[in-house]
């Protein structure tokens, strides 16, 4: 079938000749190609005529439907109907009278933009027909008339309109047989033949596609299940060291005023990690090693280390085998602020502004406050560098503890405990161990043999693994070099109940396995099932669950390995349930392959 939609009125709006023929009706009535013409009128909701519908046959058996809309008001009153007509049209005809300039201008200004908007969505040939012979009469001089009301529409204006719409422009000087049948009819029939050829071609393509018959589509491979997400644990390194000061466990130094009226306990290892002055005071460095005279002068003027006699009141928490060092603070004002200064040092955050505020509240004297703060800055200064308030800001020295404690890792300096492991001796510091590990805190402060011993044997773990464990306690970081080392460190962390280190090791193992290519995973000698069993045995629930999903996701690789048989019945059932690709997909794939081979055709996918 063909659908033609015609818009516009070919009659002169001021002509009194109501019998002037219509272009579409004249063509349908006179064309030799048209037969069986029927017409009907369509009206709007107010009862006025909107368009005339003609139905006929063309080229013998092709159904032709023509909608002739003489008024443009359909775009204003019923945009949906006009848009539907354009969308269903195979050819669009636009008509206007060359002697009605007002109607043409209204068409150009108001309705052409609507037409262009609709034609942007549909590729339809358009014919513009300028109808009538131009009348060059004198315009009416009556002031009630528009001066150009009867002026003519020029050829150039019509051509310009056709360019805007991408249309074919025709001028029909009169609606006689020549202009209707030969001129307008020839162009219209050309577009009708083009449209029928296009429809026939599309129909042929669709028929050929249907003739290929139904093809079995290959099965769709679903995505594997998402692996469980392991979240890391926040560091509590600074809080551990601050709690060490609050609990006063393993204190090996006590600060006294000159009258020995009170004691403020601390730990040499922590103080030396933040200050070269304390290193000099406790013999970690000698005078010859210290090249900053201001630090030596401050140490001698501010502190005095006494040895020999026990304290008037024994500090709490020090092991009997370690004699605490008594330090007398010569500056009474500084000594009164010492608890706040130690909390500032042990907090790890080094909140300088808070320390200033605390000392101001305690002393209530600006000169004394400045005096104490200057001494604190001098204690924390780096030898040979100019000390300023800015140098003591939080962002400057926030990480001083965990970087400086590394200097005392696996060294005998200030060590008060030695671990014996695989015949080797590993020195350590009780204060760090107690602060960072609850199991060791109970071991060194409870009724255990280790509480009063310098030499502590370690069993069930290798020297390298234990050293990595101690390094984490001192520095809050660890860097395993392999999955097996990470698993050994995880077992050690579980033994001493250091949960954050255990999570770090879990995350390292998962990251390494995820980055391993399938080819390497198939050829590796690393037993994933063995890792799974170790993770379960040592209560690493997150890692064991992830490893089960990992085996299920890589089912085709692991099911071919001998270790797969070591899975328990419960584990095997879980893997089979969550395997990827699923058994259903493999069955569908086998059926598809059998179909392809039975049809003796090539698989378009595989």
């Amino acid at each position: 079938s063909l659908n033609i939609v015609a818009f516009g009125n070919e009659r002169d709006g001021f002509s009194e000749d109501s019998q002037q023929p219509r272009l579409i009706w004249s063509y349908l009535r006179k064309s030799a190609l048209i037969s069986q013409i029927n017409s009907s009128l369509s009206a709007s909701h107010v009862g006025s005529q909107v368009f005339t519908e003609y139905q006929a046959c063309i080229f013998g058996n092709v159904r032709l439907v023509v909608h002739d809309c003489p008024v443009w008001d359909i775009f204003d009153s019923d945009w949906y109907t006009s848009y539907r007509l354009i969308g269903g049209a195979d050819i669009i005809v636009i008509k206007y009278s060359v002697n009605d300039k007002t109607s043409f201008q209204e068409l150009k200004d108001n309705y052409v933009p609507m037409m262009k908007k609709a034609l942007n969505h549909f590729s339809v040939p358009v014919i513009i027909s300028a109808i009538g012979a131009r009348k060059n009469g004198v315009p009416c001089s009556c002031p009630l008339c528009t001066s150009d009301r009867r002026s003519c529409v020029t050829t150039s204006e019509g051509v310009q309109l056709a360019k805007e719409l991408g249309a074919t422009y025709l001028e029909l000087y009169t609606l006689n047989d020549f202009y209707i049948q030969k001129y307008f009819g020839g162009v219209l029939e050309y577009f009708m033949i083009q449209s029928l050829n296009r429809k026939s071609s599309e129909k042929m393509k669709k028929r050929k596609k249907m003739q290929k018959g139904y093809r079995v589509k290959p099965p769709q491979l679903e995505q594997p299940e998402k692996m469980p997400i392991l979240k890391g644990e926040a560091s509590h390194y600074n809080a551990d060291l601050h709690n060490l000061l609050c609990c006063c466990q393993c204190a090996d130094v006590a600060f006294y005023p000159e009258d020995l009226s009170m004691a403020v306990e601390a730990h040499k290892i922590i103080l030396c990690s933040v200050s070269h002055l304390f290193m000099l005071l406790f013999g970690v460095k000698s005078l010859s090693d210290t090249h900053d005279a201001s630090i030596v002068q401050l140490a001698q003027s501010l502190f005095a280390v006494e040895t020999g006699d026990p304290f008037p009141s024994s500090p709490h928490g020090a092991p009997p085998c370690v004699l605490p060092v008594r330090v007398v603070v010569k500056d009474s004002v500084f000594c009164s602020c010492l608890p706040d200064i130690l909390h500032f040092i042990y907090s790890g955050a080094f909140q300088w502004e808070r320390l200033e505020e605390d000392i101001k509240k305690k002393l209530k004297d600006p000169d004394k406050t400045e005096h104490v703060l200057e001494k604190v800055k001098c204690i924390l200064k780096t030898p040979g560098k100019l000390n300023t308030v800015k140098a003591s800001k939080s962002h400057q020295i926030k990480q001083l503890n965990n970087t400086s404690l590394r200097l005392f890792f696996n060294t005998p300096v200030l060590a008060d405990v030695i671990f014996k492991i695989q015949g080797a001796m590993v020195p350590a510091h009780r204060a760090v161990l107690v602060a960072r590990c609850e199991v060791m805190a109970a071991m060194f402060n409870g009724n255990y043999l280790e509480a009063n011993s310098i030499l502590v044997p370690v069993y069930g773990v290798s020297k390298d693994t234990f050293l990595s464990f101690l390094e984490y306690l001192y520095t809050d970081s660890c860097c395993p070099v392999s999955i097996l080392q990470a698993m050994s460190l995880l077992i050690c962390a579980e033994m001493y109940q250091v949960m954050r280190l255990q999570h770090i090791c879990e995350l390292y193992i998962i990251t390494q396995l995820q980055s391993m290519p399938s080819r390497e995973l198939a050829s590796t000698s690393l037993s994933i099932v063995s890792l799974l069993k170790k993770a379960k045995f040592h209560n690493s629930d997150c890692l064991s669950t992830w490893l089960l999903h990992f085996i299920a996701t890589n089912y085709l690789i692991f099911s071919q390995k001998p270790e797969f048989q070591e899975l328990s019945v419960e584990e095997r059932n879980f893997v089979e349930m969550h395997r990827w690709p699923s058994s259903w997909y493999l069955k569908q794939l086998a059926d598809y392959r059998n179909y392809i081979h039975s049809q003796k055709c090539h698989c378009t996918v595989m």
Side-chain angles (χ1 to χ4, degrees), residues 338-350:
L338 191 58
D340 296 309
I341 296 171
L342 290 178
H343 277 282
F344 165 71
I345 292 174
Y346 274 73
S347 67
F350 284 91

Side-chain angles (χ1 to χ4, degrees), residues 425-437:
M425 301 297 177
V426 179
H429 307 82
R430 292 173 186 263
V432 178
L433 305 178
V434 167
R436 299 282 288 139
C437 177

Side-chain angles (χ1 to χ4, degrees), residues 197-221:
N197 289 338
R198 177 178 56 80
K199 288 188 175 185
S200 177
S201 177
E202 291 176 356
K203 186 176 181 180
M204 187 63 67
K205 289 180 181 179
K206 186 176 180 180
R207 183 179 298 174
K208 288 181 179 180
K209 188 175 180 180
M210 294 297 294
Q211 287 176 350
K212 291 181 179 179
Y214 173 75
R215 286 186 179 274
V216 177
K217 294 183 179 180
Q220 298 297 315
L221 180 61

Side-chain angles (χ1 to χ4, degrees), residues 144-296:
L144 297 179
C145 298
T146 305
S147 61
D148 63 345
R149 193 165 182 83
R150 293 186 58 83
S151 61
C152 302
V153 181
T154 64
T155 301
S156 60
E157 290 176 320
V159 171
Q160 182 62 34
L161 177 64
K163 287 182 178 180
E164 289 184 25
L165 293 176
T168 300
Y169 177 74
L170 302 178
E171 282 198 356
L172 310 178
Y173 295 105
T174 182
L175 296 182
N176 57 22
D177 289 345
F178 172 78
Y179 282 105
I180 292 178
Q181 300 299 318
K182 302 294 184 181
Y183 194 20
F184 173 77
V187 175
L188 182 63
E189 289 162 11
Y190 168 78
F191 284 122
M192 287 195 288
I193 294 172
Q194 292 288 99
S195 180
L196 287 174
N197 289 338
R198 177 178 56 80
K199 288 188 175 185
S200 177
S201 177
E202 291 176 356
K203 186 176 181 180
M204 187 63 67
K205 289 180 181 179
K206 186 176 180 180
R207 183 179 298 174
K208 288 181 179 180
K209 188 175 180 180
M210 294 297 294
Q211 287 176 350
K212 291 181 179 179
Y214 173 75
R215 286 186 179 274
V216 177
K217 294 183 179 180
Q220 298 297 315
L221 180 61
E222 72 280 6
Q223 293 295 319
E225 292 187 13
K226 289 186 177 181
M227 307 287 277
I229 300 176
L230 183 64
K231 295 183 179 180
E233 181 181 342
S235 172
H236 40 78
Y237 183 85
N238 294 332
D240 289 342
L241 296 182
H242 188 261
N243 291 336
L244 178 66
L245 176 66
C246 298
C247 298
C248 294
Q249 294 178 329
C250 300
D252 54 2
V253 61
F255 294 93
Y256 287 88
E258 290 183 310
D259 60 1
L260 304 180
S261 59
M262 57 172 286
V264 179
E265 298 174 345
H267 306 83
K268 289 187 284 186
I269 180 68
I270 304 298
L271 298 177
C272 290
S273 70
V274 299
S275 171
H276 288 268
L277 184 146
F278 287 119
M279 287 185 182
L280 178 64
L281 194 66
F282 298 126
V284 176
K285 286 190 174 184
S286 63
L287 289 173
S288 60
D289 296 329
T290 305
H291 304 290
D292 193 326
S294 63
I295 293 179
V296 176

